[in-house]
Amino acid sequence: MRKTHDSTFRKFFHNPFFKPSTKPRPFKAYSFVPLSPLAMLDPTILTIGGIILGIAIIERILERWGVIDLVDQFSKTMRFILPVTFYGALFYFFATFMF
């Protein structure tokens, strides 16, 4: 047999029979995964950084060998290439970054 329970309309709205099955969390949890420094290990960013580092090493080697004219040309082009590459890589990083 089924049990029936009589209730008035006013009592039904002020005291619900069913309590919510899920309890509310006492605090909000935030994830700090997108702020991980390991996110910088993107292959594209590492490749661009490796190319720039290689050019800087080649420039220092040419300076030690005494080829100052070629080093001067490298430094003039790197004054333009380094900021453009840095801001381009920064834009790429934030454009492909999953927030």
Side-chain angles (χ1 to χ4, degrees), residues 19-39:
K19 293 182 180 178
S21 61
T22 58
K23 294 180 181 178
R25 290 186 178 180
F27 60 93
K28 291 184 180 180
Y30 295 100
S31 174
F32 293 104
V33 173
L35 301 176
S36 172
L38 295 176

Side-chain angles (χ1 to χ4, degrees), residues 9-91:
F9 183 75
R10 195 171 296 205
K11 188 176 179 184
F12 176 74
F13 274 104
H14 289 296
N15 294 325
F17 292 129
F18 300 108
K19 293 182 180 178
S21 61
T22 58
K23 294 180 181 178
R25 290 186 178 180
F27 60 93
K28 291 184 180 180
Y30 295 100
S31 174
F32 293 104
V33 173
L35 301 176
S36 172
L38 295 176
M40 286 296 289
L41 294 178
D42 184 37
T44 305
I45 302 241
L46 290 176
T47 303
I48 292 171
I51 291 171
I52 298 298
L53 186 64
I55 291 173
I57 290 172
I58 290 172
E59 184 180 354
R60 295 297 170 212
I61 290 172
L62 290 175
E63 186 179 5
R64 284 186 187 170
W65 287 351
V67 190
I68 303 299
D69 293 334
L70 195 55
V71 172
D72 189 39
Q73 292 297 325
F74 263 107
S75 65
K76 285 180 183 177
T77 55
M78 293 306 285
R79 281 185 198 153
F80 174 74
I81 291 174
L82 280 176
V84 169
T85 306
F86 172 75
Y87 289 118
L90 195 65
F91 176 74

